[in-house]
Amino acid sequence: MGQKVNPTGFRLGSTFTWKSRWFAGQADYSDRVIEDHKLRKYLNNKLESAGLVQVDIERSLTAIKVILYVSRPGVVIGKGGSNLELVKKEIERILNVSKVKKDKVKIDLRVEEVKKPDLSAKLVAERIQNQLIKRYPHRRAINQALEKVMQAGAKGVKIALSGRIGGAEIGRTEKYFEGSVPTQTIRANIDYFQVPAATRSGYVGIKVWINKGEIV
């Protein structure tokens, strides 16, 4: 059939859990989804240099917990926690916390360190994206990424490029493998991310699958 399934969505509820965890009624649901989208967009732009991997959002009646998974937590926290306070104020503005007068809603901002950044599909894909934009040879960039991921302890990795690779006149797709990536095994802990690289010749799509083993 040739139809593909997002590896993360395929495993939601069995292997992985949701990145936004809250309940809302029909009247408020769309507003909450838009707030989460705006918050993630802001954090991805603001904390790009910190190596942001994932943003988890948990809501209750009196608190909103935002958990940031980053490879360089010192960049997020800043000197004496100054940068963290600026991020917290911007989160309050995006989530309209200051407008809530009846019940004080507390923002709980937590920063978790990602011990092995080379096992994050998002960071690997973004590194390749930056290299392609800077006209770095794509095969060398891919081979370096494959080597680093396997050295970090992955069971397998797959990288796919699609588009005008290397400035070619005709778009094509190239796939690179190392180790084992069982995409149909639900218990497999597969990290996945896709991102486009806006090169001078045109868009090149980048997809990364990293197999971290099986979840028992």
Side-chain angles (χ1 to χ4, degrees):
M1 297 289 286
Q3 294 162 346
K4 307 295 186 297
V5 173
N6 186 297
T8 307
F10 185 52
R11 292 166 175 79
L12 271 179
S14 55
T15 307
F16 301 143
T17 187
W18 285 260
K19 293 174 185 175
S20 290
R21 297 182 285 275
W22 43 264
F23 176 81
Q26 193 172 355
D28 301 324
Y29 183 82
S30 58
D31 293 335
R32 298 286 178 271
V33 171
I34 291 168
E35 282 177 3
D36 282 12
H37 173 71
K38 285 180 179 176
L39 179 58
R40 285 197 169 91
K41 190 177 180 182
Y42 161 73
L43 290 171
N44 276 313
N45 291 332
K46 176 75 175 176
L47 305 177
E48 187 180 359
S49 59
L52 182 65
V53 173
Q54 185 176 311
V55 179
D56 284 4
I57 301 169
E58 296 179 7
R59 295 174 187 258
S60 65
L61 292 173
T62 57
I64 300 173
K65 187 193 289 185
V66 181
I67 307 166
L68 308 176
Y69 295 90
V70 295
S71 60
R72 293 186 290 276
V75 177
V76 182
I77 296 166
K79 239 181 185 177
S82 58
N83 198 32
L84 198 65
E85 284 301 314
L86 292 173
V87 173
K88 195 171 181 179
K89 283 179 182 176
E90 188 62 25
I91 290 173
E92 288 175 353
R93 188 190 67 78
I94 293 169
L95 299 179
N96 295 322
V97 170
S98 56
K99 294 179 183 178
V100 178
K101 294 179 181 177
K102 291 180 181 177
D103 299 310
K104 283 279 184 182
V105 178
K106 184 186 172 188
I107 297 285
D108 184 11
L109 184 60
R110 299 186 183 183
V111 180
E112 299 283 344
E113 185 181 2
V114 176
K115 301 290 183 184
K116 294 182 178 179
D118 286 322
L119 287 180
S120 166
K122 182 176 185 290
L123 297 183
V124 172
E126 286 176 347
R127 190 190 306 139
I128 296 170
Q129 177 195 34
N130 291 330
Q131 287 174 324
L132 293 183
I133 290 170
K134 292 173 183 174
R135 305 183 76 177
Y136 193 79
H138 69 279
R139 282 195 180 88
R140 194 183 300 171
I142 298 295
N143 288 331
Q144 286 175 355
L146 293 174
E147 189 180 339
K148 284 182 179 178
V149 171
M150 294 305 289
Q151 283 178 354
K155 302 290 182 185
V157 56
K158 179 169 77 170
I159 300 173
L161 299 182
S162 181
R164 295 187 61 184
I165 302 167
E169 289 292 324
I170 300 172
R172 67 181 189 275
T173 299
E174 289 186 7
K175 292 181 181 178
Y176 302 84
F177 299 86
E178 190 81 35
S180 168
V181 184
T183 51
Q184 299 302 309
T185 308
I186 292 179
R187 66 179 178 274
N189 183 6
I190 293 179
D191 193 13
Y192 170 78
F193 194 76
Q194 64 182 51
V195 65
T199 66
R200 291 186 182 184
S201 307
Y203 266 33
V204 175
I206 303 161
K207 293 181 180 180
V208 178
W209 295 257
I210 296 176
N211 177 21
K212 301 179 185 178
E214 290 188 358
I215 295 174
V216 182

